[in-house]
Amino acid sequence: MGPAKDPAAIARGKALFQQKCSVCHFDNSSAKKIGPGLKGIGKRGTFTVNNEKITDETLLHWIENGDSLMPPFKDVLEEKQIKDVIAYVKTL
């Protein structure tokens, strides 16, 4: 069973999201907070800022490295934690 379908990974990802991501992102809305709302991100297909396809790999890269508007989290969260966050946001 991959992390995307693992209820424990999703629960850990939700807790991490609440701690680290919810300052800037809604998880229950697609409305912009500071960053975009993430509800339905798995169904969008592409990122709004660069039209890159949304996959586990591109989400991992984005969260680890950030961009001009989002800080990188590679020194804040371990890769396994980031994968848990990805598992959670894909359920939104």
Side-chain angles (χ1 to χ4, degrees):
M1 179 183 318
K5 301 287 186 216
D6 178 357
I10 292 167
R12 289 189 306 266
K14 181 175 184 176
L16 285 164
F17 184 94
Q18 299 302 328
Q19 292 170 9
K20 304 291 185 185
C21 312
S22 65
V23 172
C24 296
H25 297 281
F26 290 118
D27 60 352
N28 59 356
S29 171
S30 59
K32 184 176 172 109
K33 194 171 188 181
I34 293 170
L38 300 181
K39 183 174 177 129
I41 190 168
K43 297 173 186 73
R44 289 184 205 163
T46 59
F47 291 101
T48 51
V49 294
N50 62 8
N51 287 328
E52 192 172 308
K53 187 170 171 40
I54 296 173
T55 65
D56 288 6
E57 292 75 28
T58 57
L59 283 166
L60 178 69
H61 179 78
W62 193 281
I63 296 167
E64 283 182 336
N65 299 295
D67 70 357
S68 62
L69 300 174
M70 180 174 145
F73 280 84
K74 66 179 173 238
D75 296 329
V76 177
L77 298 172
E78 297 172 14
E79 184 173 334
K80 183 180 183 329
Q81 292 176 303
I82 294 172
K83 288 181 178 180
D84 289 345
V85 170
I86 292 168
Y88 172 63
V89 300
K90 288 176 70 179
T91 70
L92 303 177

